[in-house]
Amino acid sequence: MSANETYISKRLFQRHLDSVGRARLPEWWLDTQRAAWDAHLGLPHPGPTDETWRFTDTEAIRLSGFEPFPTADLLGALPAGQLRAPAPVKPPPGVVYCTLNEAIAKHADLFRAYFRARPAALGGEKFAELNAAFAACGAFLYVPDGVELTTPLFARHVLNGHNIAAFPHTLVILGKNASATLVEVFDTEYGDRLLASGVSDLHAASGARLTYIGIQNWGRQATAFHSNATSVAQDANVTTLNLHLGARYARHESHTRLDAPGGRAEILALTHADANRRLDQRTLQTHSAPDTYSNLLYKNALRDTSKTVFSGLINVEPDAQRTDAYQSNRNLLLSPDAEANSLPGLEIQANDVRCTHGATTGGIDPEQAYYMAARGIPPETANALLVEGFFEEVLGKIPERPRAPVEATLRAALARGGR
Amino acid sequence: MQTLEIRDLAVALAATPETPIVKGLNLTVRSGEVHAIMGPNGTGKSTLSKAVAGHPDYTVTNGDILLDGKSILKMEPDERARAGLFLAFQYPSEIPGVSIANFLRAALQSRLGENENINAANYYKTLYEKMDLLQIARSFTSRSVNEGFSGGEKKRCEILQMSMLKPAFAFMDETDSGLDIDALKIVAHGVNTLRGPELGIVLITHYQRLLNYIVPDYVHVMFDGRIVKSGDKTLALELETRGYDWLKPAPQPPAAS
């Protein structure tokens, strides 16, 4: 693929703009999408020498011939059982929970104040611009100051078909001392060649508490990019968990910004890689204020000939004294042919900080495998159980209510794996 | 009535098959019997139990192991376990993140057919009954298998698993090692509770101490890879007073070169 090749033709972008016009969305939104389209065209396809794409076979990412098609967005409360149909929800007054297009039409001021205000920008800008150019699906959540949502919310974005591309964009805004939980699933029921470029940006104002869980469960032939930026204000407390279960190639970027004293973030991810799938994760923890805390724990389980990349950086700015920042990437290799690449990193410009970073990669202990066999557990089941056990440390950091259905989804993906 | 028959068995480390550790051992265990195998360290007691349970580091170089007349040597360790063999480990592995309840459930599920599923309510009912019987607190089930357990807790966990999996034959490898007297009594209570006409037990132990609490039907003394003497429980008492040396076989004359 040449550097300036377009993934989606100008004709299809024009057709997208026509549909935006028919949906009677405002002119500023059309301008925003046009500007993003131009920016997308102006950026090169990532190349083998780009540091932010190290270990990724950028030439193997084939992106032509897709037609834009929005996901079906099902919004509601978190269901008790499977993460499919949302339960009905009636949010308290002042809370806005709606699709992206509805937010553009009805809550323009709020939307424009936060839309792409602080993007992740960890190398996938070309794909984030593409998202902004075509965004027509996704979820929007606004919780006003002081409102605590006790019911976890749920959004399911479904993309079914062949040679189609979706660009879900989710924006979460929590006011001062507000609290909310959002579980978001990106799902394919049927289809093969799919492209997805998603964005989930999260904003927690001072004293807010947010739990966000994103489950990437696209079809197994999908190429998927996702960009996540999280802003944590004074004394705010944010937990993010991203599960990577689907896609043939998926790249997830996550940038967490600790902006003010007392801000705390748990940054979690679980990856199940099997077959010849490629899963790529790039993270940045930016501490720009004193007395902030962030703890990143990314765990990857790899089977077959799968390959993962983790590249992470903790950046402590000069003013961010008494920062506590941790970064850990753990890889469990279930096959001798799987490959885990890990690039943990630290950049500390303050002198009074506590920071650690590290990565480990290892296989299953043969004595553990034998112990499970000696109880009659066949190797396939034993491996699935060991992976579940490996993931438990991360799941244990999630509140009970959203954890149960997330675990069920994960178990289903593990059972499906290796087939 | 089931039978486990060990015939002229020779076992070596897979890495060094020319150097056997067990060197022609014969033993027959029937349902309902409790056998104790005693002997000093390094005589092949643990190797015997690992070979029976199919540990991949060991290889059988001669002889056979028959369960109800059928050789198990070609069976994988998990197949042997499902066929009714159980090994209580001297040093049980830790499985972080996997609760005892989920672990046992997977082990039981693996004994069912493709389309059969464990009834969760019945499973927990049985599990709690066994735990009450073995005097184990309910909170035990949500802990990760053996992770951070004391020596006594690990052994109790082994016995709980044995009671749930209902093997035909159980090898208990140095179950008493590393236990204080209170833990030893609890473990012995567990074994005595499980003892019955359906279960054959082989206790492997270094000390006579355990046999004060679990009275065996047969006692065998192992030396240099073989059983050199068999008897009833009085043999254990004799060992207690006389030690092992009187049973030491006369040194073999060096092979002619």
Side-chain angles (χ1 to χ4, degrees):
Chain A
M1 177 174 291
S2 69
N4 57 359
E5 186 173 339
T6 55
Y7 312 141
I8 294 172
S9 71
K10 188 164 170 53
R11 178 183 63 82
L12 291 173
F13 180 64
Q14 192 52 53
R15 198 184 73 181
H16 164 73
L17 289 183
D18 294 345
S19 74
V20 174
R22 279 196 304 278
R24 297 183 189 284
L25 291 177
E27 192 58 35
W28 62 262
W29 178 241
L30 285 162
D31 291 342
T32 302
Q33 296 212 295
R34 277 190 208 101
W37 172 253
D38 290 339
H40 163 72
L41 292 183
L43 289 164
H45 185 77
T49 57
D50 291 342
E51 184 56 31
T52 55
W53 290 81
R54 213 171 143 196
F55 291 118
T56 303
D57 183 2
T58 53
E59 294 303 305
I61 303 169
R62 318 299 309 188
L63 293 176
S64 55
F66 290 102
E67 202 170 316
F69 196 86
T71 53
D73 297 325
L74 312 167
L75 308 187
L78 187 70
Q82 288 193 329
L83 291 178
R84 295 181 71 83
V89 68
K90 201 164 174 274
V95 171
V96 179
Y97 184 46
C98 64
T99 61
L100 185 84
N101 280 356
E102 197 180 328
I104 294 162
K106 294 184 184 163
H107 306 278
D109 291 346
L110 200 51
F111 181 87
R112 294 179 79 175
Y114 289 92
F115 178 72
R116 305 188 74 202
R118 308 175 77 195
L122 298 181
E125 287 85 334
K126 186 170 180 68
F127 305 99
E129 295 293 352
L130 192 64
N131 170 282
F134 283 100
C137 54
F140 180 83
L141 171 63
Y142 168 69
V143 185
D145 291 356
V147 174
E148 299 187 17
L149 278 184
T150 49
T151 307
L153 297 176
F154 175 60
R156 182 164 177 245
H157 312 285
V158 186
L159 183 65
N160 293 330
H162 311 280
N163 290 328
I164 56 175
F167 304 93
H169 195 113
T170 288
L171 193 51
V172 175
I173 306 155
L174 261 55
K176 288 175 186 164
N177 301 314
S179 78
T181 296
L182 175 65
V183 178
E184 200 170 29
V185 179
F186 302 91
D187 241 342
T188 301
E189 291 158 332
Y190 59 88
D192 49 27
R193 198 169 169 272
L194 301 169
L195 170 64
S197 177
V199 173
S200 301
D201 284 348
L202 317 173
H203 298 266
S206 57
R209 278 162 293 130
L210 172 65
T211 300
Y212 171 87
I213 300 173
I215 304 176
Q216 186 272 97
N217 200 23
W218 297 123
R220 293 170 68 81
Q221 297 304 320
T223 300
F225 303 90
H226 202 93
S227 168
N228 155 242
T230 303
S231 301
V232 186
Q234 183 163 344
D235 298 324
N237 198 333
V238 177
T239 297
T240 59
L241 165 62
N242 284 287
L243 269 67
H244 307 289
L245 309 176
R248 164 77 181 72
Y249 169 80
R251 176 184 170 103
H252 191 273
E253 297 180 2
S254 181
H255 185 174
T256 306
R257 294 177 173 97
L258 289 303
D259 293 327
R264 296 176 67 85
E266 296 282 348
I267 307 153
L268 309 167
L270 297 175
T271 299
H272 175 242
D274 63 348
N276 61 347
R277 297 167 56 224
R278 302 281 179 266
L279 293 148
D280 209 341
Q281 292 167 296
R282 315 275 162 164
T283 70
L284 178 58
Q285 295 152 263
T286 299
H287 287 254
S288 53
D291 300 302
T292 47
Y293 163 92
S294 73
N295 189 3
L296 179 145
L297 177 58
Y298 275 36
K299 286 194 154 188
N300 300 331
L302 295 91
R303 287 174 147 153
D304 309 320
T305 56
S306 63
K307 187 174 158 182
T308 60
V309 181
F310 169 82
S311 170
L313 184 67
I314 296 174
N315 182 17
V316 181
E317 294 183 352
D319 291 341
Q321 299 295 358
R322 297 174 304 281
T323 282
D324 272 352
Y326 308 97
Q327 180 200 73
S328 172
N329 167 227
R330 312 221 172 277
N331 301 297
L332 177 64
L333 296 178
L334 295 136
S335 148
D337 303 316
E339 179 185 322
N341 300 282
S342 205
L343 294 160
L346 274 180
E347 204 172 292
I348 300 173
Q349 301 165 70
N351 54 24
D352 178 16
V353 300
R354 273 192 292 179
C355 290
T356 61
H357 71 313
T360 57
T361 298
I364 285 179
D365 173 2
E367 285 303 318
Q368 274 184 350
Y370 172 65
Y371 186 71
M372 298 182 88
R375 297 300 173 252
I377 302 173
E380 267 298 304
T381 313
N383 278 0
L385 215 52
L386 286 169
V387 172
E388 271 183 52
F390 175 67
F391 285 169
E392 178 55 35
E393 181 186 3
V394 166
L395 293 168
K397 294 174 181 251
I398 296 298
E400 189 70 34
R401 176 67 186 85
R403 192 197 310 159
V406 170
E407 274 177 344
T409 305
L410 186 61
R411 253 196 298 275
L414 293 182
R416 181 182 71 199
R419 300 284 147 85
Chain B
M1 164 76 110
Q2 292 185 268
T3 309
L4 182 72
E5 204 182 339
I6 298 171
R7 269 194 209 156
D8 201 21
L9 192 74
V11 184
L13 276 168
T16 51
E18 67 285 354
T19 318
I21 302 164
V22 172
K23 304 169 180 174
L25 185 139
N26 290 286
L27 178 68
T28 300
V29 184
R30 293 175 192 85
S31 305
E33 296 175 351
V34 176
H35 293 245
I37 297 181
M38 304 183 67
N41 279 330
T43 53
K45 302 189 301 293
S46 285
T47 299
L48 171 68
S49 65
K50 283 177 173 160
V52 171
H55 194 293
D57 287 354
Y58 294 86
T59 181
V60 169
T61 54
N62 193 39
D64 209 345
I65 306 169
L66 306 165
L67 179 61
D68 295 331
K70 279 185 223 144
S71 175
I72 61 163
L73 289 186
K74 291 215 158 57
M75 292 164 79
E76 294 294 326
D78 56 312
E79 294 175 288
R80 296 185 193 194
R82 294 196 296 275
L85 294 179
F86 183 90
L87 172 62
F89 282 56
Q90 185 177 4
Y91 303 109
S93 288
E94 299 186 0
I95 320 272
V98 179
S99 71
I100 289 175
N102 283 346
F103 181 75
L104 271 171
R105 198 171 159 160
L108 285 169
Q109 180 68 48
S110 70
R111 286 160 169 79
L112 300 178
E114 281 275 310
N115 299 312
E116 287 177 273
N117 273 308
I118 282 187
N119 176 310
N122 289 346
Y123 164 67
Y124 276 99
K125 188 167 168 278
T126 310
L127 180 61
Y128 291 147
E129 279 170 10
K130 302 284 187 195
M131 291 173 74
D132 289 348
L133 205 61
L134 299 171
Q135 299 166 2
I136 296 171
R138 296 271 164 105
S139 59
F140 204 65
T141 55
S142 56
R143 292 176 65 184
S144 294
V145 177
N146 295 324
E147 195 184 28
F149 283 21
S150 68
E153 284 173 327
K154 283 186 179 171
K155 301 295 160 92
R156 264 200 272 188
C157 182
E158 294 292 286
I159 287 165
L160 175 64
Q161 292 178 47
M162 182 170 143
S163 75
M164 288 297 287
L165 300 177
K166 295 198 192 130
F169 295 97
F171 277 70
M172 312 198 69
D173 189 7
E174 304 272 5
T175 299
D176 48 342
S177 70
L179 294 190
D180 61 32
I181 196 73
D182 291 334
L184 185 73
K185 282 181 185 168
I186 290 163
V187 166
H189 165 76
V191 174
N192 286 327
T193 306
L194 300 181
R195 193 171 179 171
E198 307 290 306
L199 175 64
I201 297 177
V202 178
L203 286 173
I204 290 170
T205 182
H206 185 62
Y207 300 108
Q208 135 77 21
R209 196 174 64 147
L210 180 67
L211 305 184
N212 291 336
Y213 301 97
I214 306 170
V215 180
D217 301 308
Y218 303 94
V219 174
H220 311 278
V221 180
M222 239 180 120
F223 240 115
D224 193 29
R226 293 181 189 89
I227 288 175
V228 294
K229 188 161 181 68
S230 296
D232 62 11
K233 62 183 176 186
T234 56
L235 177 57
L237 297 172
E238 201 174 349
L239 290 169
E240 178 79 351
T241 50
R242 295 180 66 184
Y244 286 114
D245 280 353
W246 61 286
L247 290 167
K248 207 173 192 167
Q252 305 272 320
S257 57

